[in-house]
């Protein structure tokens, strides 16, 4: 099971892949003349404004006797906008126009969608190609990085970088006594990492400052040196930090591929790789996490045998597609007619939820991703269980536990229920507890999951016992401990009451 953070990362990973694929497809498209429209409307804008702009554009194009393709693209864009009563909360992205296929045939393209997160760009361009530069904003990580810039003039700047958006939070001089630091809410550090920069004239090493908050130490990713301070040093530090930030942003991928490699090292049967084995395990429901290179060059073919009418599926790479033997059944010599052909990655993105599995895309621009593509074919999975070639296998296990078990269990389920077995993993150490209240005390122990109340006294009973003790009757060790704890509480309470008289407030002298 995955927690909310894991589910968010999984969904974000797939949305990022969709944007990458869209950018790749649009960049590869070539229009016929200036008949391609790229339109991005940021959140808070008005549909009516854009509609009027397009109407003016259409009238101008009509008067100048522009090509029919351009008029068609404007009309198509207007029709798409009519589907939206207002701009969606994250903005609106729309691409429309006529492109040329590899065979030189014209094809109409109409794409409109709300991004998975807000897009701040505003764009309207009419060109012979789609403009996708603004979409790269959606690929930036949501991680926030902190920057502290200090120079020899006593000026300190606090800033953040989230995605491509830098922001100066505070800037002040240590010589300005009126500027006091607000400590409210400063205990939380919502940064994926922290960068420090010192300008010329600042002689002390930042990481060596004794007054530097130790909570920030674990967050420091790097320290830079610049010739100037303030905003200039902030910009320089951002440029210098990009490589480190890219590494931090790929940590989830590195952890996932590291886990995959570790599972294979411990037991190769825990994982599966290569296309055929992975998809067979996927169909059986044996895969827990499916890992795929984001641009794996393998297509999924749905083929029909002209001799037998049988429909089968093949997975072919770019080289196998050129081999005509793959489109012929060697057993029946029947021709295999292509009924459907689509990228395997596209098919997995659309169908993975049907199998109830987690799909994660990785990229080969990082070292572990490159090795995953070379060694394992760019596709693999971490298994929930080890499939036995599709054959059923009876399993019977019985034994006497080495420690007594208090559980009574007889469930009928599709999986083994091992929750009760965890009781055996508990330590045999016995831990004592003393619970005190105003009018009594409780002494108990816990051993594993077993709790036991040893003694429970009220204050009246202790007073009665104490009088008996004064008459020569001994107190039990638990009664004596209770009395000592009561004395300690009274001493602490008295100290608290006397504290204002013993100490003076440094602020008031």
């Amino acid at each position: 099971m995955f927690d909310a953070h894991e589910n968010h990362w999984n969904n974000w990973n797939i949305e990022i892949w969709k944007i990458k694929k869209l950018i790749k497809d649009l960049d590869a498209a070539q229009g016929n003349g200036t008949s391609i429209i790229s339109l991005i409307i940021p959140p808070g804008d008005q549909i009516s404004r854009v509609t009027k702009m397009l109407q003016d554009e259409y009238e101008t194009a009509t008067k100048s006797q522009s090509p029919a393709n351009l008029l068609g693209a404007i009309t198509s864009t207007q029709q798409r906008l009519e589907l939206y009563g207002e701009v969606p909360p994250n903005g609106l992205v729309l691409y429309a126009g006529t492109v040329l296929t590899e065979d030189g045939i014209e094809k109409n393209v109409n794409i409109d969608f709300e991004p998975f997160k807000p897009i701040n760009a505003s764009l309207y361009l009419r060109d012979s190609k789609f403009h996708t530069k603004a979409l790269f904003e959606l690929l930036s990580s949501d991680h926030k990085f902190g920057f502290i810039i200090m120079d020899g003039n006593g000026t300190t700047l606090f800033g953040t970088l989230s995605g491509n958006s830098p922001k100066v939070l505070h800037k002040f001089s240590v010589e300005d006594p009126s500027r006091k630091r607000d400590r409210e809410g400063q205990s939380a550090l919502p940064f994926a990492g922290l960068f420090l920069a010192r300008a010329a004239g600042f002689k002390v090493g930042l990481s060596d400052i004794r007054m530097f908050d130790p909570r920030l130490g674990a967050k420091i990713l790097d320290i830079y040196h610049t010739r100037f301070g303030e905003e200039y040093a902030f910009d320089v530090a951002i440029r210098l930090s990009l490589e480190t930030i890219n590494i931090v942003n790929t940590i989830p991928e590195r952890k996932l591929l590291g886990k995959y490699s570790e599972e294979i090292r411990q037991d190769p049967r825990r994982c599966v790789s290569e296309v055929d084995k992975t998809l067979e395990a996927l169909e059986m429901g044996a895969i827990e996490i499916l890992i795929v290179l984001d641009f794996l060059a393998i297509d999924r073919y749905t083929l029909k045998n002209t001799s037998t009418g049988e429909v089968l599926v093949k997975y072919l790479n770019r080289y196998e597609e050129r081999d005509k033997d793959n489109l012929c059944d060697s057993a029946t010599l029947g021709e295999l007619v292509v009924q459907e052909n689509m990228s395997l990655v596209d098919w997995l993105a659309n169908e993975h939820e049907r199998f109830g599995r987690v799909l994660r895309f990785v990229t080969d621009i990082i070292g572990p991703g490159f090795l995953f593509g070379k060694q394992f074919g760019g596709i693999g999975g971490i298994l929930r269980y080890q499939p036995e070639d599709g054959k059923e296998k009876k399993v019977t296990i019985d034994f006497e536990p080495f420690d007594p078990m208090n559980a009574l269990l007889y469930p009928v389920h599709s999986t083994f229920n091992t929750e009760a077995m965890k009781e055996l993993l508990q330590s045999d150490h016995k831990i004592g507890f003393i619970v005190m209240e105003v009018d009594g005390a409780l002494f108990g122990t816990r051993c594993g999951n077993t709790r036991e109340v040893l003694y429970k006294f009220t204050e009246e009973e202790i007073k009665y016992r104490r009088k008996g003790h004064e008459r020569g009757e001994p107190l039990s060790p638990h009664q004596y401990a209770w009395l000592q704890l009561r004395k300690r509480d009274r001493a602490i309470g008295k100290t608290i009451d006397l504290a204002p008289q013993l100490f003076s407030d440094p602020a008031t002298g």
Side-chain angles (χ1 to χ4, degrees), residues 40-46 49-50 87-93 118-123:
I40 297 178
I41 308 175
D45 205 341
Q46 300 296 322
R49 182 194 68 81
V50 181
V87 178
N90 291 338
L92 181 61
V93 177
I119 184 169
N120 299 316
S122 179
L123 175 71

Side-chain angles (χ1 to χ4, degrees), residues 376-396:
F376 304 107
I379 183 171
I382 300 175
L383 298 177
R384 297 172 57 243
Y385 62 90
Q386 297 174 12
E388 297 289 340
D389 298 328
K391 298 179 181 179
E392 292 186 353
K393 180 180 179 181
K394 293 184 179 180
V395 178
T396 302

